[in-house]
Amino acid sequence: MLQCFYPDFYVDSAYDIDYERLYEQGYRGVIFDIDNTLVPHGAPADARSIALMNRLGKIGYQKMMLSNNKEPRVKMFCDAVGADYIYKANKPFPASYKKAMKQMRTGKKNTLFIGDQLFTDVWGAKKAGMTTYLVKPIHPKEEIQIVLKRFFEKIVLYFYKKEKGKQGRK
């Protein structure tokens, strides 16, 4: 029942992912959430996020930011990191994920999605058929509606970790 929210991978940070290995496996596009995935909520691009986007470009990835935020916030970040974007993406509905893949000229089999929220980021990407990475939020300070979702995320993650533990013992 809760499996529709389970990420394919759960990692500490978007900055810890082995993008080179994933490229060797055939992935060609990466779609990111911005807030609390790459920088704290509302923060501008920093040296680390700029370096990651430069690294991904050198590897050969197409990059796209997908945010439910308004254009001024998303544009500011994306201009700094050199990435295309879709704002007011209406996540978790899959239409914007599919639009992002179309713009990058990638498909669900060779595109990754990386975000910090189960009920918007991961669920939407899973509905679009993509490989999903859930990352731990960068900063604990969040808007109230996200704080409420985090409570329910903890429940889902409890069962996710329990199921993953069973799989590891088989």
Side-chain angles (χ1 to χ4, degrees):
M1 181 176 130
L2 296 175
Q3 287 85 352
C4 67
F5 301 112
Y6 289 179
D8 295 304
F9 301 95
Y10 183 33
V11 297
D12 286 338
S13 170
Y15 299 99
D16 295 338
I17 297 169
D18 187 347
Y19 295 101
E20 289 80 4
R21 180 182 56 80
L22 292 165
Y23 192 85
E24 289 172 8
Q25 292 175 358
Y27 289 97
R28 295 298 181 260
V30 186
I31 302 172
F32 288 93
D33 173 57
I34 298 171
D35 289 320
N36 249 347
T37 297
L38 294 170
V39 293
H41 187 81
D46 58 13
R48 187 166 74 154
S49 60
I50 294 167
L52 176 61
M53 293 305 124
N54 288 337
R55 177 178 153 211
L56 293 174
K58 287 177 185 170
I59 294 169
Y61 280 105
Q62 297 297 313
K63 316 169 291 270
M64 178 74 69
M65 301 296 150
L66 193 63
S67 176
N68 283 346
N69 220 318
K70 295 177 183 165
E71 187 173 23
R73 190 281 178 274
V74 178
K75 183 179 183 337
M76 171 192 67
F77 182 88
C78 292
D79 285 351
V81 300
D84 290 329
Y85 62 90
I86 296 173
Y87 67 97
K88 288 188 181 178
N90 208 18
K91 296 181 286 183
F93 295 103
S96 290
Y97 296 84
K98 292 175 181 178
K99 179 179 177 184
M101 288 185 280
K102 185 176 181 178
Q103 287 180 9
M104 292 189 303
R105 295 184 175 91
T106 61
K108 60 186 176 183
K109 299 242 187 262
N110 68 347
T111 306
L112 305 165
F113 182 85
I114 300 162
D116 70 297
Q117 293 186 54
L118 283 177
F119 302 129
T120 51
D121 298 331
V122 170
W123 189 30
K126 287 182 72 77
K127 289 193 289 185
M130 302 165 56
T131 298
T132 59
Y133 276 79
L134 177 68
V135 298
K136 293 179 181 172
I138 288 178
H139 195 276
K141 186 178 186 306
E142 297 181 298
E143 296 173 341
I144 188 65
Q145 70 271 19
I146 296 172
V147 171
L148 295 172
K149 284 193 273 186
R150 294 285 186 209
F151 172 78
F152 293 106
E153 281 186 358
K154 286 179 184 178
I155 295 167
V156 174
L157 286 172
Y158 168 81
F159 289 105
Y160 167 80
K161 290 173 185 176
K162 189 174 178 180
E163 189 171 306
K164 288 292 181 186
K166 284 182 184 175
Q167 290 175 359
R169 287 190 283 252
K170 287 184 180 178

